């Protein structure tokens, strides 16, 4: 194959070739034809003749290509027979024999998948580029395939393969991707370490949660959730979302989650917890906004009492499959300040399921937020099974995948409807106390009869009766009517609670030998596994204690 018969389709080649074929005109005749405005002969004598510059087509192309550092190969014909490789190509992949098909002469191109690309270039007559492919020599190249034609006009077609070494760029890109991957793993590890490693499992609820970081960026979000057992059979559930992404959002989330657990120990109503949390969020970072829902479940009331700071509504499905949206009341996000939050409630009886979630589950760029919540309601209506199964189904129904662009946190809780032998492990008994000298003996007799009917061991029976007697005596001395004694058993503990109309909370103190009071709470705290007190929503207080049941 004569290499000089081939030329690249360079712009202007045809114009320069036509210029070279124009007939030569005598300089004197050109001067005669200039007419007005032509350069006078006297001045023309002083003009110097420009140096002769060879045209592009007159350059020794083969010599140029042999000297370029890039890899160059030329193939022609339908089977891409090799016409030429330059010195750089031969140095990289070895010498090649012209005339053989590219499949045999250039096996490295076949390994890189370039042969189909050569076919496309030859058929379409348009150049194609294959970026950053690692070749058998261990280096990375970007291949540009350009169509060429025979210079003698015979119509033969070929392809010029031009390979640029981009190994340094490819290695830098690999290092950057590896660095981003390590940063993301670190950020996700930080995020997950700030979330509860193991959810607390209350006696009366079954709970499951899931968290999925969004996208492939290193900047994770500030989604979080928690489950806190408050004692006395009550459970606090919380979910929130710190706006923004990155380590800063995760750090703020960790501080808010820790604060919620501390405030929860005060056993405050939901709206008071959010009020405290709002002030803390302002102190942490006035520019960092967060949404949050804090809810409390009390099995004695069969309701979920909650307060929301700009968060999405809780969804509750009852035992009949009807889904209710608890979207009132809702205050502004945490960190805005100057707002008095309020508490609301939604029924959560036996057989019900509640879902708390962040906006990554329902918010999409191409649809309204209400449409996403409505779709979640439909998915919840048909989702049955354990909390973890429901959680997974809701995430799948929302189309959340590994490359989802936002973090997703979901918390599912069920209040199971217990029947048969399981129902015998969960019992309630209550006694209204009118006051007077007969209240304490009546309370002891009631507690003794109930604990006997529940077939408690003798030692636990006696401790329960003593605790009930001390709590009632404390209420009679320091509280006001109405008073109530409530006993509750679960599969894991015995709970004794006394409520009255006075909101003064008792505290454990050390009684001196001469003191006539102050020993009741100390006795209860000594014999019980746990004890506590709280103010009740309608005014008054509740004082409770727990006894762990022996494992059967």
């Amino acid at each position: 194959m004569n290499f000089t018969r081939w030329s690249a389709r360079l712009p202007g080649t045809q114009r320069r070739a036509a210029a070279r074929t124009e007939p030569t005109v005598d300089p004197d005749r050109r001067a005669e034809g200039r007419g007005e405005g032509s350069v006078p002969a006297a001045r023309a004598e002083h003009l110097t003749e420009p140096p002769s510059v060879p045209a592009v087509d007159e350059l020794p192309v083969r010599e140029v290509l042999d000297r370029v550092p890039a890899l160059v190969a030329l193939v022609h014909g339908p089977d891409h027979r090799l016409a030429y490789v330059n010195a750089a190509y031969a140095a990289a992949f070895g010498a090649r024999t012209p005339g053989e098909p590219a499949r045999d002469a250039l096996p490295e191109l076949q390994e890189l998948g370039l042969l189909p690309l050569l076919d496309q270039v030859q058929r379409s007559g348009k150049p194609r580029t294959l970026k950053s492919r690692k070749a058998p020599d261990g280096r990375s190249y970007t291949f540009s395939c350009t169509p060429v034609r025979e210079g003698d006009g015979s119509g033969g077609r070929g392809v010029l393969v031009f390979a640029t070494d981009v190994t340094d760029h490819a290695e830098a890109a690999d290092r950057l991707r590896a660095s981003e991957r390590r940063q993301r793993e670190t950020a996700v590890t930080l995020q997950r370490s700030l979330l509860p490693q193991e959810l607390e499992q209350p006696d009366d609820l079954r709970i499951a949660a899931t968290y999925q970081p969004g996208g492939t960026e290193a900047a994770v979000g500030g989604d979080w959730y928690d489950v806190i057992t408050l004692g006395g059979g009550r459970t606090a559930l919380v979910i929130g979302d710190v706006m923004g992404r990155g380590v800063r959002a995760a750090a703020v989330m960790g501080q808010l989650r820790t604060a919620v657990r501390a405030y929860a120990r005060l056993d405050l109503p939901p709206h008071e917890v959010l009020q405290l949390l709002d002030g803390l969020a302002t102190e942490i970072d006035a520019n960092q906004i967060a949404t949050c829902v804090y809810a409390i479940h009390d099995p004695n009331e069969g309701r979920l009492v909650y307060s929301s700071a700009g968060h999405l509504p809780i969804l509750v499905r009852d035992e009949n499959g009807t889904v209710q949206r608890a979207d009132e009341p809702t205050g502004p996000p945490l960190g805005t300040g100057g707002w008095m939050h309020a508490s609301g409630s939604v029924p959560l009886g036996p057989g019900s399921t509640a879902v708390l979630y962040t906006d990554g589950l329902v918010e999409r760029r191409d649809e309204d937020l209400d449409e996403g919540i409505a779709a979640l309601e439909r998915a919840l209506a048909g989702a049955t099974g354990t909390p973890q199964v429901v959680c997974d189904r809701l995430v799948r129904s929302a189309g959340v995948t590994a490359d989802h662009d936002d973090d997703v946190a979901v918390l599912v809780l069920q209040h199971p409807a217990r029947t048969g032998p399981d129902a015998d492990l969960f019992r309630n008994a209550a006694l209204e106390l009118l006051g007077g000298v007969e209240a304490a003996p009546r309370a002891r007799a009631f507690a003794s009869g109930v604990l006997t009917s529940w077939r408690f061991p003798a030692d636990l029976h006696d401790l329960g009766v003593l605790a009930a007697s001390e709590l009632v005596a404390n209420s009679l001395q320091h509280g006001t009517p109405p008073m109530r004694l409530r006993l509750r058993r679960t599969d894991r503990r015995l709970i004794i609670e006394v409520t009255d109309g006075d909101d003064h909370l008792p505290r454990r103190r050390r009684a001196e030998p001469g003191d006539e009071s102050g020993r009741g709470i100390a006795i209860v705290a000594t014999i019980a596994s746990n004890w506590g007190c709280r103010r009740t929503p309608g005014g008054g207080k509740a004082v409770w204690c727990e006894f762990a049941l022996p494992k059967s």
Side-chain angles (χ1 to χ4, degrees):
M1 183 73 182
N2 185 1
F3 181 76
T4 59
R5 296 173 58 215
W6 294 83
S7 64
R9 289 181 175 176
L10 301 175
T13 301
Q14 294 81 358
R15 293 195 298 272
R16 287 189 296 271
R20 291 197 303 272
T21 59
E22 289 180 356
T24 304
V25 182
D26 184 67
D28 295 334
R29 294 181 61 184
R30 283 200 301 267
E32 292 175 0
R34 285 194 183 101
E36 293 184 3
S38 61
V39 179
R43 293 181 60 187
E45 293 177 356
H46 299 284
L47 293 176
T48 58
E49 197 69 28
S52 177
V53 178
V56 174
D57 290 348
E58 295 174 357
L59 294 175
V61 178
R62 179 162 185 160
E63 183 179 349
V64 172
L65 294 180
D66 276 338
R67 292 178 180 274
V68 297
L71 280 58
V72 180
L74 179 67
V75 297
H76 71 95
D79 51 356
H80 308 301
R81 292 186 176 275
L82 180 62
Y84 164 79
V85 294
N86 71 343
Y89 196 105
F93 299 117
R96 295 294 186 267
T97 304
E100 294 184 358
R103 188 176 301 277
D104 301 323
L106 305 172
E108 58 277 357
L109 298 189
Q110 181 179 3
E111 185 174 338
L112 291 168
L114 247 70
L115 296 188
L117 191 66
L118 297 180
D119 294 334
Q120 295 178 19
V121 171
Q122 198 171 59
R123 286 195 306 268
S124 66
K126 296 180 180 179
R128 295 285 188 273
T129 299
L130 193 65
K131 294 185 177 180
S132 190
R133 288 295 180 92
K134 195 168 187 178
D137 66 345
R139 302 191 69 80
S140 298
Y141 299 91
T142 291
F143 292 87
S144 298
C145 301
T146 305
V148 295
R149 59 179 174 80
E150 287 192 27
D152 59 2
S154 62
R157 286 182 175 273
V159 179
L160 182 69
V161 180
F162 193 91
T164 306
D165 191 337
V166 293
T167 304
D168 293 341
H169 297 284
E171 291 177 351
D174 289 341
R175 289 193 296 269
L176 180 60
R177 285 191 291 267
S179 176
E180 290 177 347
R181 185 167 55 251
R182 288 192 298 269
Q183 291 178 15
R184 172 173 170 76
E185 291 172 355
T186 301
V188 171
T189 301
L190 170 64
Q191 172 82 346
R192 292 190 182 278
S193 67
L194 295 174
L195 294 173
Q197 303 304 301
E198 184 176 351
L199 287 179
E200 298 181 21
Q201 294 295 329
D203 298 357
D204 296 274
L205 298 176
R206 293 185 297 179
I207 300 176
T210 186
Y211 167 76
Q212 182 166 319
T216 57
E217 300 177 1
V220 296
D223 293 17
W224 55 290
Y225 57 83
D226 209 349
V227 178
I228 309 165
T229 53
L230 301 178
R234 302 163 74 249
T235 306
L237 307 115
V238 59
I239 194 165
D241 184 3
V242 178
M243 302 303 176
R245 299 177 69 82
V247 176
R248 178 58 182 169
V252 172
M253 175 271 288
Q255 295 178 75
L256 292 179
R257 176 177 174 259
T258 302
V260 167
R261 294 193 70 87
Y263 295 149
R265 300 305 177 191
L266 301 176
D267 219 338
L268 300 172
H271 65 276
E272 293 189 21
V273 171
L274 289 192
Q275 208 72 48
L276 294 172
L277 208 59
D278 181 51
L280 179 65
T282 304
E283 295 177 6
I284 293 175
D285 189 343
N287 298 320
Q288 197 81 52
I289 303 300
T291 65
C292 179
V293 166
Y294 182 86
I296 295 177
H297 175 257
D298 189 338
N300 295 317
E301 298 177 0
R303 301 186 69 82
L304 195 64
V305 181
Y306 68 92
S307 185
S308 175
H311 203 78
L312 299 174
I314 301 172
L315 301 183
V316 179
R317 186 191 67 200
D318 62 19
E319 64 276 11
N320 300 319
T322 303
V323 178
Q324 179 179 352
R325 184 187 302 189
D327 54 1
E328 293 294 342
T330 300
L334 300 175
T336 56
W339 180 268
M340 295 300 295
H341 292 273
S343 293
S345 67
V346 61
L348 189 72
S352 299
T353 300
V355 178
L356 292 77
Y357 52 95
T358 57
D359 57 2
L361 186 66
V362 295
E363 190 173 30
R364 301 293 181 270
R365 290 192 178 98
D366 56 349
E367 66 180 27
D368 187 74
L369 180 60
D370 284 336
E371 295 179 5
I373 299 176
L376 182 62
E377 289 179 348
R378 293 190 294 271
L380 177 59
T384 58
T386 65
Q388 190 60 59
V389 170
V390 173
C391 204
D392 295 340
R393 287 181 177 179
L394 294 180
V395 171
R396 286 198 304 270
S397 68
V400 177
T401 58
D403 58 352
H404 191 63
D405 61 357
D406 194 6
D407 290 20
V408 173
V410 184
L411 184 65
V412 176
L413 57 140
Q414 290 181 344
H415 187 187
R418 296 180 173 86
T419 58
D422 190 37
D424 293 336
L425 299 177
F426 292 80
R427 298 290 187 89
N428 281 283
L431 174 66
E432 299 291 341
L433 298 172
L434 301 178
V437 293
E438 75 283 356
R442 190 163 169 240
R444 286 193 294 270
F446 175 78
S448 178
V450 169
L451 297 180
T452 300
S453 67
W454 289 350
R455 299 180 181 179
F456 280 166
D459 55 345
L460 185 57
H461 171 278
D462 294 343
L463 291 176
V465 172
L466 176 58
S469 176
E470 293 297 336
L471 291 181
V472 169
N474 181 79
S475 180
L476 288 172
Q477 183 174 359
H478 302 287
T480 58
M483 291 179 284
R484 171 184 287 186
L485 169 65
R486 174 181 288 154
L487 283 74
R488 175 173 173 77
R489 71 154 296 168
T490 69
D491 58 342
R492 287 182 280 180
R493 72 197 77 227
L494 165 66
I495 302 169
I496 301 174
E497 181 181 81
V498 175
T499 60
D500 63 53
D502 184 79
D503 59 2
H504 176 73
L505 299 180
R507 59 184 179 88
R508 183 180 180 181
R509 62 185 180 89
R510 185 172 184 176
E512 298 297 332
D515 292 344
E516 296 183 359
S517 63
R519 295 181 176 82
I521 296 298
I523 293 173
V524 170
T526 301
I527 64 176
S529 305
N530 193 17
W531 81 280
C533 57
R534 69 179 188 279
R535 290 186 174 88
T536 53
K541 66 177 180 292
V543 186
W544 54 268
C545 66
E546 296 178 348
F547 294 89
L549 300 184
K551 296 181 179 180
S552 56

